[in-house]
Amino acid sequence: MTTTSSNPRTVSDTDAFWLREAERLDWTKAPTSASDVSWDASDLHIRWFADGALNASVQCLDRHLETRGDKTAILWVGDEPGVAKAITYAEAHEEVCRMASVLKARGVTRGDRVILYMPMVPEAAYAMLACARLGAVHSVVFGGFSPEALASRIEDCGATAVVTADEGRRGGKAIVLKKNVDAALTRNDAGRAVHTVLTVKVTGGEAAMQAGRDVWWHEEKAEASSDCPAEAVDAEDPLFILYTSGSTGKPKGVLHTTGGYMVYASYTHEKVFDLKEDDVYWCAADVGWITGHSYIVYGPLANGATTLMYEGVPTWPDASRMWKIVEEHGVTLLYTAPTAIRALMREGDAPVEKHDRSSLRVLGSVGEPINPEAWRWYHDVVGEGRCTVVDTWWQTETGGILISPLPGDPMTKPGAATKPMPGIEPALVDADGKVLEGEAEGNLVLTRSWPGQMRTVWGDHERFVQTYFTTYPGTYFTGDGARRDADGDYWITGRVDDVLNISGHRMGTAEVESALVAHDAVAEAAVVGFPHDLKGQGLWCYVILRAGLEPSAEIEKALRDQVRTEIGPVATPDVIQIAPGLPKTRSGKIMRRILRKIAEGAPDQLGDTSTLAEPEVVDQLVEGAARHR
Ligand code: PRX
């Protein structure tokens, strides 16, 4: 398949290019070949650097000890202003070795799955790297997910150990974690295989310890050996599983392997941020998301950088917190999400201008389309017009950044992700899969594999094949739409499937719908996204109650709580519209297009409604929606 020719970053021999990039790692056994890939649905496999062997924790720690032992690896900034801790590479190495020793002594071994349900404390990074050291596979579950959601992930990956904390701190509030783990482990079969819950004392809050299973990190650590040799694993050994939402069904376990992922995380982190030895780099994501994996932990530490890890939220105790951190710690590279930028922009320029930001050099954005207004504020006010803004497009599945401006590029296109990274080959296709050339708008696909690509859906390879490789055969389908302008620059327009992006958190409409229908009062539910000033998208839930039930504030609240219980606070609905019916075709298919337009407040753009089984439902929905605005 041909791609657009206007990409100045084109690489002619990609395998040779990636094999050269692989030299950025210290391999136990260097690979002799790059890709071994087939995207043919009948024989789909993706392997990179397959005859290489390495250990990810060695890339992040051991290999820096000689030259950077005393350099700060993790600069941890607490939720409470004034609390911070600098951890050197030597110290981080020792902590990780001790944690690996503890897990090993408890029976965790190569290939075992370990769930991490952690707040933003250094121990979260230690736990990831400790698993990697043993060749065990971690799966981090964001602390904002409920016990129910946690249980389904523990079960799905067959975890045998959990690392958690008594509680987390965020914006002055305590988040219960150990209690949620205990609840999760009593759900169905989730607790059956779990022999260990290693618990970090963070707040000193209440934590019930089950004898035999639950152990405290601070107690185990004192006894543990700081000598824990790293297991050299094959390049294609799994490094981690990270669950993410799709347009159908339960969240899927995205599997990333060791060699390719590490090369790609390190490569993109260095190039996109133009990393220098003395940089203080801050990615303000949570380790529960892919951004935290690739750009708080693996990328920066593989590159020997100082990575700032912040426990709290951008707006607490006030809107100047981020800029205060930038000033206090001399942050040079900042990476955050449009949703945070919009929230801070709303507070005006004064909280920003109060603090010296002259250290800043590159400003990154990730997770959702950045609206030009927010981009300009980030560039002009936060970066004083001096800094490069890199609007980085990628996905959990891609392991690292695929399309992004690079430092040195002219900053003239607010909201464009611009060009693919060298080695990356995107294309736009129309609904029939025809490749669009030149200036065009269409579905975004990749036509060639790259080392950071996910390898499979854990336990369900067929789902992997079906989700990404059958829509437009021979390509990887991203689920995103994009426009390419006359300069060959890409502008991501957002998802073209039923995946939502709420404050940069990815969510499937199907997941929220099944949470709602699990409630006794609900006969049917349909969930769509709608434009939301702060969150980018909000969750609009149309609900049909069971016969005999009347709409009430109590039911609305109960349904909101229901979604929070099933999924977690991240999925709290913005609107619950109790409706008399849903717009369906005569064959019974819900017409989501109509529901989206109604939620958007554009009832004049409903298009053709003549195929509806009950056209009068639409008027009732439009009328009902007006009451929620
Ligand atoms: O729709 C795209 C959006 O976020 C989706 C991926 O979400 P997730 O797997 O949670 O990963 C988020 C962090 C990489 C994409 O399919 N997205 C991500 N970055 C951008 C974006 N949309 C527009 N512009 C971006 N820079």
Side-chain angles (χ1 to χ4, degrees):
M1 187 176 283
T2 54
T3 50
T4 177
S5 57
S6 49
N7 172 14
R9 306 184 193 166
T10 302
V11 167
S12 55
D13 182 346
T14 42
D15 267 2
F17 173 79
W18 288 121
L19 208 49
R20 249 192 336 272
E21 283 301 334
E23 290 170 12
R24 59 178 52 252
L25 301 186
D26 282 0
W27 299 79
T28 314
K29 178 180 178 304
T32 58
S33 65
S35 68
D36 168 11
V37 173
S38 161
W39 283 359
D40 183 345
S42 63
D43 171 35
L44 194 128
H45 63 267
I46 300 161
R47 292 191 275 269
W48 281 87
F49 314 120
D51 65 345
L54 75 169
N55 182 282
S57 83
V58 170
Q59 309 313 311
C60 294
L61 301 167
D62 305 49
R63 68 172 179 151
H64 304 307
L65 292 179
E66 207 170 299
T67 51
R68 300 183 176 111
D70 296 332
K71 178 175 176 175
T72 300
I74 300 176
L75 181 52
W76 180 78
V77 176
D79 189 49
E80 198 58 46
V83 176
K85 191 163 62 178
I87 299 140
T88 65
Y89 272 92
E91 288 163 342
H93 176 260
E94 183 174 336
E95 294 279 334
V96 167
C97 287
R98 283 187 197 275
M99 198 178 279
S101 293
V102 171
L103 293 172
K104 190 174 178 179
R106 308 269 320 171
V108 173
T109 164
R110 182 171 175 181
D112 286 359
R113 275 81 60 207
V114 180
I115 289 277
L116 313 185
Y117 187 61
M118 294 290 286
M120 286 291 287
V121 292
E123 288 80 0
Y126 302 159
M128 292 164 79
L129 295 167
C131 289
R133 198 161 188 87
L134 301 175
V137 185
H138 60 71
S139 184
V140 185
V141 177
F142 176 59
F145 282 121
S146 68
E148 205 64 51
L150 176 60
S152 79
R153 287 155 171 80
I154 293 172
E155 253 182 283
D156 187 83
C157 72
T160 53
V162 177
V163 184
T164 189
D166 49 359
E167 295 177 326
R169 284 193 199 90
R170 262 170 79 84
K173 295 196 196 89
I175 313 290
V176 292
L177 294 171
K178 176 65 168 65
K179 214 161 129 194
N180 284 356
V181 170
D182 293 342
L185 292 177
T186 60
R187 299 280 202 287
N188 305 325
D189 264 353
R192 204 172 30 90
V194 174
H195 54 64
T196 296
V197 178
L198 180 60
T199 310
V200 178
K201 190 176 263 221
V202 172
T203 63
E206 189 199 322
M209 301 297 274
Q210 182 178 309
R213 188 193 68 183
D214 302 353
V215 289
W216 285 109
W217 162 236
H218 62 272
E219 288 175 3
E220 298 292 309
K221 176 179 160 173
E223 310 285 311
S225 169
S226 60
D227 180 21
C228 183
E231 179 95 11
V233 301
D234 293 336
E236 284 300 336
D237 262 32
L239 179 60
F240 65 85
I241 299 167
L242 188 56
Y243 286 85
T244 193
S245 298
S247 46
T248 56
K250 285 199 312 186
K252 45 184 176 267
V254 168
L255 181 79
H256 283 288
T257 56
T258 309
Y261 172 82
M262 289 302 295
V263 169
Y264 201 69
S266 160
Y267 162 73
T268 47
H269 177 255
E270 183 202 320
K271 302 293 178 204
V272 171
F273 292 98
D274 181 31
L275 185 72
K276 305 273 192 274
E277 188 62 41
D278 292 335
D279 273 322
V280 177
Y281 161 83
W282 178 18
C283 167
D286 190 284
V287 288
W289 312 114
I290 190 70
T291 310
H293 284 59
S294 303
Y295 300 114
I296 295 178
V297 179
Y298 288 113
L301 295 180
N303 291 339
T306 294
T307 182
L308 191 151
M309 186 176 191
Y310 173 45
E311 189 179 31
V313 296
T315 46
W316 191 84
D318 59 47
S320 66
R321 185 67 199 274
M322 281 188 70
W323 322 119
K324 187 174 156 70
I325 294 174
V326 166
E327 176 175 69
E328 276 179 4
H329 300 283
V331 173
T332 55
L333 314 172
L334 175 66
Y335 196 24
T336 188
T339 191
I341 299 168
R342 287 191 296 266
L344 296 172
M345 179 172 80
R346 201 170 62 161
E347 306 293 326
D349 300 355
V352 187
E353 285 164 353
K354 218 162 86 183
H355 294 283
D356 179 14
R357 283 126 31 244
S358 57
S359 57
L360 288 172
R361 202 171 83 242
V362 181
L363 301 172
S365 170
V366 59
E368 41 175 330
I370 180 165
N371 46 310
E373 198 193 355
W375 190 100
R376 283 198 192 90
W377 187 77
Y378 201 29
H379 180 265
D380 298 348
V381 179
V382 175
E384 301 171 292
R386 271 183 302 106
C387 304
T388 301
V389 172
V390 289
D391 174 11
T392 64
W393 173 83
W394 59 296
Q395 311 177 299
T396 305
E397 293 90 334
T398 71
I401 296 161
L402 295 192
I403 306 185
S404 174
L406 293 177
D409 286 358
M411 287 293 105
T412 53
K413 294 189 181 178
T418 74
K419 300 269 195 300
M421 295 295 291
I424 299 302
E425 297 182 11
L428 297 177
V429 297
D430 68 11
D432 301 322
K434 185 165 110 24
V435 179
L436 306 170
E437 300 290 343
E439 231 181 308
E441 178 156 354
N443 300 307
L444 182 62
V445 299
L446 279 307
T447 60
R448 186 191 289 278
S449 182
W450 64 99
Q453 181 173 27
M454 75 181 279
R455 301 302 196 254
T456 190
V457 171
W458 178 261
D460 198 348
H461 193 63
E462 191 47 33
R463 188 172 176 197
F464 178 54
V465 176
Q466 290 302 324
T467 309
Y468 304 102
F469 301 95
T470 55
T471 319
Y472 304 112
T475 72
Y476 164 84
F477 177 41
T478 63
D480 278 313
R483 183 165 67 78
R484 191 174 46 226
D485 67 18
D487 302 323
D489 285 328
Y490 286 85
W491 301 70
I492 309 298
T493 50
R495 300 291 302 199
V496 293
D497 54 11
D498 287 322
V499 171
L500 305 176
N501 196 326
I502 314 289
S503 300
H505 297 163
R506 183 164 155 180
M507 224 162 286
T509 52
E511 267 173 274
V512 185
E513 286 161 8
S514 62
L516 286 165
V517 294
H519 193 281
D520 287 344
V522 178
E524 205 177 359
V527 173
V528 297
F530 70 101
H532 188 289
D533 283 350
L534 273 186
K535 298 177 167 186
Q537 267 188 315
L539 267 181
W540 193 296
C541 309
Y542 297 91
V543 173
I544 303 187
L545 298 180
R546 284 192 190 280
L549 292 176
E550 288 300 320
S552 66
E554 288 75 47
I555 287 193
E556 274 187 39
K557 178 173 182 308
L559 296 182
R560 252 191 203 97
D561 289 346
Q562 166 81 8
V563 179
R564 291 170 66 94
T565 307
E566 291 282 322
I567 305 176
V570 284
T572 307
D574 295 280
V575 173
I576 296 210
Q577 179 177 350
I578 311 252
L582 294 173
K584 290 186 183 168
T585 60
R586 289 190 196 98
S587 59
K589 193 170 172 302
I590 297 174
M591 294 191 69
R592 293 175 172 279
R593 175 177 56 82
I594 293 181
L595 292 175
R596 276 194 286 266
K597 286 291 172 200
I598 295 173
E600 255 172 50
D604 49 327
Q605 295 166 24
L606 295 184
D608 183 12
T609 55
S610 64
T611 55
L612 288 180
E614 298 171 284
E616 66 281 3
V617 164
V618 171
D619 293 334
Q620 293 164 342
L621 287 174
V622 171
E623 211 182 290
R627 286 199 291 273
H628 289 281
R629 238 172 276 288

